[in-house]
Amino acid sequence: MVSPGTRVHHGSHEARPPRVVITGSGFAGFHAAKALARRTRGAIEIVVVSPTNYFLYLPLLPEVAGGILEPRRIAVALSDALPACVRHAPGEVDDIDLEAHEIGWLDPEGVGHRMSYDRLILAAGSVHKVMPIPGINQYAVGFRGVPEALYLRDHLVRQIDLAAMCDDPAEREARCTFVVVGAGYTGTEVAAQCQLFTRALAASRGLNPDDMRWVLVSRGEVLAGLNEHLARSADAVLRHRGVEVHTDTTMEEAGDAEVLLSTGERIPTRTLLWCVGVRADPLIENLDIELDSGRVVVHETLQVPGQTDLYACGDVAAVPDPSRPGERTPMTAQHAVRQGALAGRNVAASLGHGSLRPYRHRDLGFVVDLGGFKAAAAPLHLPLTGLPAKIVARSYHLGAMPGNRLRTAVDWTLEALQPRQSAQLGLVRSPAIPLDTASPEVPQHHLGFPHVAGGRQAPDAAATWSRE
Ligand SMILES: Cc1cc2nc3c(=O)[nH]c(=O)nc-3n(C[C@H](O)[C@H](O)[C@H](O)COP(=O)(O)OP(=O)(O)OC[C@H]3O[C@@H](n4cnc5c(N)ncnc54)[C@H](O)[C@@H]3O)c2cc1C
């Protein structure tokens, strides 16, 4: 049923060209739109529904928090990078009617819209996975978007500024202690980049850089499950720099001024980052389709079983992994890019442009940038560390970004020549995405991390403010 005020965008199927709707403009959605447009050359209507009008290059987000890159470098405008035949509907899909072939979406001004489709590509990505740990919703902050990166950057500067003016040694120590939970891509890179940032800040404020305490807590090894060379190199670089790496350890409780680890250690801190795993976006939870560990089950052609007009790709999809029979592909950007492109190709084929293909993937290796001159890379499984790895990592990122390459390269050059900028603008006063996106409660705010409740919201949607 269409509620009052809802705007309906359809037109009969006879009157318009076939319409393909893509939910999400991340790695999968962006590349689906691009491949589809290339193959159909204006013969169909392509609409990307996404809350942002940009593609976010997530692997470089830790460099935004670490004061190296400006956020617009990694946010590539869809209108600049996609063909003009792809339209962007600004908003968030909040309803999918598979029977009626119709989606509902809410625009940023709160107006509901409905739109019919001939093919739908689910590419809504993933959200934080939150464990039932006391205090986590209230005291931890996640790391998945530009507002969170900007918020963290400001927060780190603020902690150092306040520490520099603090006469109480215990409080100063807590402000200079930073706890990251989770040592996957996100936690490892955030700890590596931001530790260097806080050391530079400390030096410029008359504090001892060696007093900046970074603690990385992980149940498994650093970068567990990724390439072994990468994992070992990253672990060694972090430890060498003085980051306390606690593997085989979990966080048991978060309080308003400390966290408790499974080892029994209590760590006084004002900064707790939750980087433990992700789960598929809740958008797909109530659809009448099969899920595997919360992800949409798809055939190797990325079609959803029993739904000929529905495709899924990227983090949201449980795609059979051709290199590991019986397993699903991991949630990585590499897979999302290739699956997105294949979804676009196969949807085009289903509309008479080309032929269907199964998902195949050749592992090109991984890169991890650890800040400074450090990185670890395994291009085509060739293990590299130090400067060669750094050059490979940065070249890989520049090649993989769909735009803003020159600007990004300029920021990197400036980083090598000049100190990082440490002005605290305070524009983002709360992380955009509360850790528990499904939580109906309005959490308290502490540790300098005020929260908003009720799913994704604009940065200042609930302008609570912390004691800072
Ligand atoms: C900080 C960080 C660093 C990472 N580093 C690496 C790395 O170095 N290498 C690597 O391989 N992987 C990395 N990853 C993982 C990688 O980014 C993901 O696997 C990849 O982004 C998945 O692509 P996706 O398109 O499925 O989802 P996303 O890129 O997350 O895109 C999802 C899109 O869907 C939109 N969306 C969500 N809900 C809705 C809705 N209801 N309606 C409409 N649109 C919606 C979102 O706004 C977004 O545009 C990193 C992840 C993070 C968070």
Side-chain angles (χ1 to χ4, degrees):
M1 196 178 102
V2 179
S3 48
T6 297
R7 295 186 194 161
V8 180
H9 309 249
H10 34 214
S12 75
H13 289 237
E14 294 75 38
R16 60 166 173 78
R19 178 185 289 154
V20 179
V21 172
I22 303 171
T23 62
S25 60
F27 283 88
F30 178 88
H31 286 278
K34 195 171 162 189
L36 190 54
R38 199 174 53 234
R39 287 178 174 272
T40 55
R41 296 171 185 271
I44 65 168
E45 193 185 337
I46 306 168
V47 183
V48 176
V49 187
S50 173
T52 60
N53 75 344
Y54 55 81
F55 160 86
L56 184 63
Y57 191 76
L58 276 166
L60 292 181
L61 195 62
E63 299 201 13
V64 173
I68 297 170
L69 291 177
E70 287 307 312
R72 279 193 169 78
R73 307 293 181 259
I74 63 164
V76 181
L78 300 178
S79 56
D80 293 343
L82 286 173
C85 64
V86 179
R87 291 196 298 150
H88 170 236
E92 203 163 316
V93 175
D94 57 2
D95 181 47
I96 298 175
D97 186 337
L98 295 176
E99 289 264 299
H101 278 53
E102 201 173 80
I103 59 150
W105 55 281
L106 199 63
D107 75 21
E109 299 188 346
V111 177
H113 301 253
R114 295 204 71 82
M115 188 189 289
S116 56
Y117 62 80
D118 298 281
R119 303 285 185 278
L120 178 64
I121 301 179
L122 299 171
S126 50
V127 296
H128 290 294
K129 185 155 73 182
V130 182
M131 316 283 181
I133 298 172
I136 184 175
N137 281 331
Q138 295 94 320
Y139 306 122
V141 70
F143 194 78
R144 285 203 66 78
V146 168
E148 286 157 308
L150 289 179
Y151 183 80
L152 178 60
R153 180 169 168 172
D154 269 1
H155 173 84
L156 296 177
V157 177
R158 194 162 50 231
Q159 293 313 308
I160 307 293
D161 282 346
L162 288 170
M165 287 303 295
C166 183
D167 295 329
D168 175 359
E171 184 187 330
R172 191 167 56 240
E173 201 179 308
R175 289 196 184 279
C176 296
T177 300
F178 310 90
V179 179
V180 180
V181 185
Y185 263 128
T186 310
T188 302
E189 289 184 339
V190 168
Q193 299 285 359
C194 294
Q195 189 232 13
L196 292 183
F197 186 39
T198 52
R199 285 182 64 88
L201 290 170
S204 68
R205 268 64 170 178
L207 294 170
N208 183 350
D210 291 341
D211 289 345
M212 300 302 112
R213 182 183 179 199
W214 279 80
V215 184
L216 182 61
V217 178
S218 174
R219 186 191 292 274
E221 299 297 312
V222 170
L223 297 180
L226 287 184
N227 177 287
E228 209 179 302
H229 156 72
L230 243 66
R232 261 188 286 111
S233 311
D235 185 281
V237 167
L238 290 176
R239 288 180 197 268
H240 181 72
R241 280 199 193 141
V243 174
E244 294 173 30
V245 182
H246 295 264
T247 52
D248 291 325
T249 308
T250 52
M251 187 188 74
E252 297 294 294
E253 198 177 324
D256 72 345
E258 63 175 21
V259 298
L260 171 64
L261 304 187
S262 54
T263 54
E265 187 182 359
R266 289 183 182 276
I267 303 179
T269 183
R270 302 293 173 98
T271 308
L272 173 59
L273 276 165
W274 181 254
C275 302
V276 179
V278 289
R279 64 185 175 94
D281 193 282
L283 173 67
I284 46 108
E285 270 166 15
N286 296 322
L287 298 178
D288 191 15
I289 52 178
E290 192 187 341
L291 301 183
D292 177 353
S293 306
R295 298 164 84 190
V296 178
V297 170
V298 290
H299 294 305
E300 56 178 5
T301 53
L302 308 182
Q303 279 166 301
V304 177
Q307 302 282 338
T308 44
D309 301 331
L310 186 63
Y311 293 70
C313 48
D315 283 3
V316 86
V319 180
D321 191 337
S323 62
R324 299 177 306 146
E327 304 280 319
R328 309 293 183 177
T329 54
M331 293 175 165
T332 66
Q334 248 191 61
H335 281 294
V337 167
R338 285 160 181 75
Q339 289 168 11
L342 182 70
R345 176 194 176 108
N346 284 349
V347 166
S350 77
L351 295 168
H353 305 264
S355 53
L356 278 180
R357 285 271 174 89
Y359 184 60
R360 296 281 177 264
H361 171 255
R362 188 162 161 250
D363 185 1
L364 297 177
F366 290 93
V367 296
V368 180
D369 197 317
L370 300 165
F373 289 106
K374 300 290 183 188
L380 302 170
H381 302 285
L382 179 72
L384 298 176
T385 46
L387 195 56
K390 186 84 180 183
I391 293 168
V392 167
R394 289 204 157 165
S395 311
Y396 173 83
H397 287 313
L398 283 183
M401 290 175 75
N404 296 353
R405 294 190 182 106
L406 183 58
R407 288 188 167 98
T408 304
V410 168
D411 270 11
W412 280 339
T413 310
L414 288 175
E415 183 219 350
L417 301 175
Q418 299 201 321
R420 299 184 200 186
Q421 293 185 300
S422 65
Q424 190 212 134
L425 299 180
L427 295 177
V428 178
R429 307 202 328 165
S430 127
I433 307 169
L435 259 192
D436 182 359
T437 51
S439 171
E441 80 199 84
V442 179
Q444 304 300 306
H445 53 83
H446 330 239
L447 290 177
F449 288 123
H451 284 269
V452 292
R456 290 182 177 76
Q457 298 192 17
D460 272 330
T464 49
W465 190 227
S466 73
R467 60 189 171 203
E468 297 165 312

